[in-house]
Amino acid sequence: MRNRDPQVREDAFDFLREHADAYVDELMAEFAAERDDPGLRCWLLELIAEARSAKALEVFRDQLESMDESLRFWAVRGLEMLDSREAGHMLYQARANGWIS
């Protein structure tokens, strides 16, 4: 997904979307390491959400406070997709704190 060719990037994203659950650890590591490309960070967080893994709870929680609206969106979506008690609690707290509406 770091390739400069837009089609290669899109193809990589599509592949990973279908197999995100198998790569969740690698996706979270890449998300944590990426600092220069906001679009790539957003794509990575979307893929992490698609993985529907409880391993990502902390990643989503941290992004609920992000200044980047796209990252907040995918953090909320990821927690909603988990549909767990912990995820629901995090969403409740974020709403109570005014981080999300």
Side-chain angles (χ1 to χ4, degrees):
M1 288 177 38
R2 295 182 190 279
N3 195 297
R4 292 184 189 265
D5 182 331
Q7 188 60 54
V8 171
R9 287 175 65 120
E10 189 73 32
D11 290 346
F13 177 81
D14 289 340
F15 171 82
L16 286 169
R17 185 174 34 208
E18 296 297 320
H19 305 284
D21 58 328
Y23 294 97
V24 68
D25 293 323
E26 293 90 341
L27 291 167
M28 290 189 307
E30 287 296 319
F31 180 80
E34 180 57 52
R35 296 286 174 229
D36 299 328
D37 187 340
L40 180 56
R41 282 182 55 83
C42 188
W43 265 10
L44 289 166
L45 195 57
E46 181 178 349
L47 291 169
I48 294 166
E50 289 290 335
R52 294 176 172 87
S53 172
K55 293 178 184 181
L57 276 169
E58 301 297 320
V59 173
F60 297 139
R61 188 198 67 216
D62 292 346
Q63 294 310 308
L64 289 174
E65 297 181 58
S66 175
M67 298 301 290
D68 185 323
E69 187 176 337
S70 298
L71 294 177
R72 280 195 318 273
F73 171 85
W74 283 109
V76 169
R77 186 72 182 120
L79 290 169
E80 289 172 345
M81 290 169 77
L82 284 176
D83 194 30
S84 69
R85 180 178 222 165
E86 296 88 356
H89 183 69
M90 287 180 186
L91 288 169
Y92 175 81
Q93 284 186 319
R95 286 185 181 99
N97 292 333
W99 300 334
I100 61 173
S101 55

